[in-house]
Amino acid sequence: MENNKNISKHILPTSSNLLGLCFVILTFIKLSKIANETIIDESIGSLIILFLISSILSYISMRAGKKAEFYEKIADFIFLSGLSILTLVSLVIIFEVM
């Protein structure tokens, strides 16, 4: 069944890029010792997991037949959740530095 929306082809590369960005942010925080609290580290760690799951599900939805739309909806929800959390964590990092 052909999916009319077919947003998985957009979620997969974007989610993968944000996964890499989270690794860079985590490395930067660890090396510069900006955050003494572990809540930012844990948040970035959870974002890594969310973007990884989103990438995997969007890939599965491109390969799946009948349940493609189901996997795509889940990948979309997880991706948007991760994007929202990443925005909040970035704001916390910005205002903690200043």
Side-chain angles (χ1 to χ4, degrees):
M1 180 168 119
E2 185 66 29
N3 190 356
N4 293 335
K5 293 181 183 178
N6 201 10
I7 59 173
S8 289
K9 64 182 179 183
H10 301 290
I11 294 174
L12 181 59
T14 308
S15 186
S16 299
N17 286 335
L18 289 174
L19 178 64
L21 178 67
C22 287
F23 278 117
V24 169
I25 292 171
L26 185 61
T27 303
F28 177 73
I29 289 173
K30 292 289 187 181
L31 290 178
S32 64
K33 308 235 189 267
I34 288 177
N36 293 331
E37 300 177 26
T38 60
I39 188 132
I40 294 175
D41 298 343
E42 292 171 358
S43 298
I44 297 293
S46 65
L47 285 170
I48 288 171
I49 293 169
L50 284 177
F51 288 129
L52 179 63
I53 292 171
S54 178
S55 296
I56 291 170
L57 286 174
S58 64
Y59 177 77
I60 290 172
S61 76
M62 287 190 278
R63 300 299 240 162
K66 295 179 182 178
K67 291 192 172 189
E69 191 172 339
F70 173 73
Y71 290 125
E72 186 175 77
K73 285 181 183 180
I74 295 173
D76 189 32
F77 177 76
I78 292 173
F79 174 75
L80 290 176
S81 300
L83 194 60
S84 300
I85 295 169
L86 179 61
T87 302
L88 293 174
V89 170
S90 298
L91 289 173
V92 167
I93 292 171
I94 289 170
F95 288 120
E96 187 173 312
V97 172
M98 296 179 129

